[in-house]
Amino acid sequence: MEVLYLFIPLIFLAISTISNYIFHKLHNLPPIPWLPALPIVGHLYLLKPPFHKSLAKFGPIQLLKFGSRPVLHVSSPSLAEECFTTNDVIFANRPRLLAGKYLGYNYTSVIFAPYGDHWRNLRRVYALEILSTHRIGELESLRADEVLLTVRKLYRSSVEHAAVVQVKAMLVDLSLNTMMRMISGKRYYYDIDGDVLTVEEKEKADQFQELVTEIFEVMGATNVGDYLPMMRWLGVSKLEKQLICLQAKRDLFMQELVEELKRGLNKSLNEKKRNNMIEMLLSLQKTEPEFYTDEMIRSIMLVTLAGGTHTSISTMEWTMFLLLNNPSVLKKAQAEIDKYVGQDRLIQESDIPNLPYLGCIVKETMRMFPAGPLLPHESTKDCKVGGYHIPSGTMLLVNVWAIQNDPTIWGDPKTFRPERFEGLEGHTDGFKFMPFGFGRRSCPGEGMAKRMVALGLGSLIQCFDWKQTCESEVDLSEGRGVGMPKSINLVANCVPRSTMLNLLSHL
């Protein structure tokens, strides 16, 4: 009898699994994993970081339970196309996650806002005012200047002997200074020779750097309460307290910046001159104060800062890792730049269209290590995907990483081979390559990101030889968090190229 009691849970589990399977068949729901959804946690127990790799094992389409949430996982180009074309409006919402409440101004920022008039208005602001081709072009000189400062610093540190470079720290300085200069006209990472700071400037720089560190840490955290409501009922979680505190700090810092630039505009005799994004938004606030509120301006600033730095840093860092493991690719890229740009000037953004192999390197990196490996959406009404019924309120996860690393699509996907993109234009061919997403919720900063990444990497490749600090290949394992961060920060030897010494010595 005691032995029988031991089998009761197994019998119950088997009955539950079979019943669930029959229910899915009768209602034409997508396939479910053979391992059952457990009470309360659902299928969460099957997932291990990195989650995009765990999910890739479930096949092209699966309906899972993340706690109380139904989740549709899709990992094939044809199904992704169906989600982003036929059902694009239905899946135009984002899931309501805790981060959207605090970091997204109660789900009103362009990232977290539900699809509707408010979101469309925000998207229009980004398309016409913030990230238009004309606006991006106006700020080209700022990006070029920051790249120049980075190159100069690297040269001065390596002129006598090979410099040992902390690659991520270098890319963080470059990306954040570039974005903050475009947003506010100010730099916040001061380690270029000749910088002389006041006490106030030093305090503000330290405050901003601490704030950025906190943002990156929180972005890498997973909130269990998003899937297990009972965890929220038990009280405010540690992560939620962090989010509340972080948002208060971000708001205060950005509002002080807005107020400072307001005072500057009021004193300016030529208010039509808009040197940065905040000044441009403040000029619009004067004509449409009800729409361009201070809160909206802060939201736009923070979204632009986060979106314009985290993903670009990740892509450039992965590219440098891959180039160190593939020195022949680095040499080929240098030869291309030498041919089209020469050794008498630094690469410019206008050169990028004439450097197709550099573009192939960036695309191959984004294929292998997309900064957004999972694209989250949510259905607003019932629909069909792959012939299956998808209920309203289902969270959709399109596994970009799985699609872009599928051996049946790409062939030997683990091998870094930029040549596979030679002669290929665009990024929507059969929905096999979607590093910036697709459809209505695709990344609005795609044009900006491509320019920043290509210019930054192109300059580092043009001016320096990069080598490993050890004989073994660089570790390519992934860390935790969004954006596919590296688990180990890259350290590399940096040596000025002999053909570039004359130019570098005069920078």
Side-chain angles (χ1 to χ4, degrees):
M1 185 64 69
E2 292 180 358
V3 175
L4 181 61
Y5 287 142
L6 294 175
F7 281 99
I8 289 178
L10 294 177
I11 295 171
F12 175 79
L13 197 59
I15 294 173
S16 175
T17 302
I18 294 170
S19 300
N20 202 17
Y21 178 78
I22 295 173
F23 176 83
H24 274 65
K25 282 289 186 181
L26 290 175
H27 290 81
N28 192 33
L29 297 174
I32 57 175
W34 278 105
L35 290 172
L38 298 181
I40 301 177
V41 300
H43 293 108
L44 286 174
Y45 74 100
L46 298 176
L47 303 182
K48 296 179 181 179
F51 297 122
H52 51 271
K53 289 188 176 179
S54 287
L55 288 167
K57 299 174 182 178
F58 290 120
I61 184 168
Q62 290 273 309
L63 188 63
L64 304 105
K65 291 282 284 186
F66 286 7
S68 60
R69 281 180 183 266
V71 177
L72 176 68
H73 173 253
V74 165
S75 60
S76 84
S78 60
L79 293 172
E81 181 176 10
E82 197 172 337
C83 293
F84 291 145
T85 54
T86 307
N87 297 312
D88 191 26
V89 175
I90 294 175
F91 284 116
N93 268 3
R94 293 290 192 203
R96 287 177 70 88
L97 305 178
L98 186 67
K101 179 178 180 180
Y102 296 108
L103 303 185
Y105 290 89
N106 198 28
Y107 309 101
T108 60
S109 74
V110 72
I111 294 177
F112 296 102
Y115 181 69
D117 289 341
H118 174 69
W119 178 85
R120 280 190 288 269
N121 287 333
L122 283 176
R123 185 77 179 204
R124 193 176 300 115
V125 170
Y126 278 91
L128 299 180
E129 304 290 351
I130 304 295
L131 298 170
S132 67
T133 302
H134 174 70
R135 187 62 186 156
I136 293 173
E138 283 185 335
L139 300 174
E140 179 181 347
S141 60
L142 295 182
R143 295 188 292 275
D145 189 47
E146 282 302 321
V147 170
L148 171 63
L149 291 173
T150 300
V151 169
R152 182 190 297 165
K153 178 189 173 185
L154 286 172
Y155 171 70
R156 291 178 179 178
S157 65
S158 61
V159 66
E160 294 182 358
H161 51 78
V164 178
V165 178
Q166 297 285 341
V167 174
K168 184 169 185 178
M170 172 191 67
L171 296 174
V172 167
D173 289 5
L174 169 61
S175 298
L176 284 167
N177 272 332
T178 301
M179 286 307 303
M180 283 306 291
R181 283 186 69 183
M182 289 193 292
I183 290 170
S184 68
K186 291 190 171 188
R187 308 180 78 246
Y188 285 92
Y189 284 77
Y190 295 92
D191 48 12
I192 304 295
D193 293 346
D195 282 326
V196 179
L197 304 183
T198 65
V199 174
E200 183 180 359
E201 287 173 333
K202 181 68 167 63
E203 288 179 354
K204 276 292 182 184
D206 290 344
Q207 183 184 352
F208 177 75
Q209 292 175 35
E210 289 174 7
L211 188 62
V212 167
T213 299
E214 284 189 56
I215 291 172
F216 282 3
E217 288 176 353
V218 170
M219 287 176 69
T222 300
N223 179 43
V224 180
D226 286 328
Y227 309 105
L228 304 176
M230 64 178 298
M231 299 297 292
R232 297 288 306 279
W233 300 336
L234 296 176
V236 178
S237 67
K238 179 181 178 181
L239 178 60
E240 188 164 1
K241 291 178 181 177
Q242 283 182 292
L243 288 170
I244 294 171
C245 181
L246 176 60
Q247 179 56 9
K249 290 180 183 178
R250 295 195 327 162
D251 247 13
L252 178 61
F253 184 90
M254 292 300 180
Q255 187 60 39
E256 288 178 352
L257 195 51
V258 169
E259 294 297 336
E260 180 183 337
L261 289 171
K262 275 185 182 179
R263 292 191 293 270
L265 275 182
N266 291 335
K267 294 177 183 178
S268 174
L269 296 177
N270 181 17
E271 295 187 12
K272 292 184 179 180
K273 187 177 181 180
R274 303 173 301 181
N275 296 314
N276 55 65
M277 293 181 183
I278 297 179
E279 290 178 347
M280 182 270 296
L281 290 169
L282 288 175
S283 67
L284 293 172
Q285 187 182 64
K286 291 188 175 183
T287 56
E288 297 181 71
E290 300 83 6
F291 183 71
Y292 292 98
T293 62
D294 281 3
E295 181 176 290
M296 177 193 241
I297 292 174
R298 295 196 306 270
S299 173
I300 290 174
M301 291 163 57
L302 290 167
V303 168
T304 305
L305 176 64
T309 56
H310 194 269
T311 54
S312 296
I313 291 168
S314 175
T315 299
M316 288 191 286
E317 186 183 16
W318 278 116
T319 305
M320 294 299 292
F321 271 90
L322 292 166
L323 290 175
L324 286 181
N325 279 349
N326 299 270
S328 62
V329 174
L330 176 61
K331 292 297 182 185
K332 186 174 179 179
Q334 288 174 334
E336 178 184 65
I337 295 173
D338 289 344
K339 179 180 178 181
Y340 288 100
V341 179
Q343 293 90 32
D344 299 327
R345 64 177 178 87
L346 292 179
I347 182 177
Q348 301 172 1
E349 287 186 6
S350 58
D351 297 315
I352 294 172
N354 296 321
L355 301 171
Y357 191 67
L358 175 62
C360 291
I361 290 173
V362 175
K363 288 179 181 178
E364 178 70 342
T365 301
M366 292 191 295
R367 180 194 67 78
M368 296 179 70
F369 301 102
L374 293 171
L375 302 179
H377 294 254
E378 189 167 280
S379 61
T380 53
K381 61 182 181 180
D382 291 3
C383 64
K384 285 188 178 295
V385 175
Y388 296 106
H389 173 71
I390 309 300
S392 174
T394 298
M395 181 177 176
L396 168 68
L397 290 177
V398 176
N399 198 329
V400 172
W401 178 88
I403 293 172
Q404 295 181 177
N405 286 269
D406 187 338
T408 65
I409 298 172
W410 293 97
D412 196 16
K414 293 183 179 180
T415 299
F416 179 61
R417 195 169 70 244
E419 288 75 12
R420 72 173 85 233
F421 282 97
E422 288 182 339
L424 297 180
E425 299 297 333
H427 64 270
T428 60
D429 181 27
F431 288 77
K432 300 171 186 175
F433 184 60
M434 297 181 291
F436 296 98
F438 195 86
R440 285 167 171 79
R441 301 301 294 234
S442 62
C443 176
E446 179 178 348
M448 173 78 79
K450 286 180 176 179
R451 290 187 183 217
M452 288 183 62
V453 169
L455 180 64
L457 286 172
S459 301
L460 297 177
I461 292 169
Q462 177 191 23
C463 297
F464 303 99
D465 282 319
W466 297 87
K467 298 180 181 179
Q468 302 171 19
T469 55
C470 57
E471 294 183 2
S472 59
E473 282 198 349
V474 178
D475 182 4
L476 294 177
S477 57
E478 302 165 29
R480 297 191 178 192
V482 297
M484 288 192 72
K486 274 291 297 118
S487 61
I488 301 173
N489 291 334
L490 174 62
V491 178
N493 286 327
C494 171
V495 181
R497 297 179 65 206
S498 59
T499 56
M500 297 297 294
L501 284 175
N502 183 57
L503 175 64
L504 292 172
S505 64
H506 289 87
L507 292 180

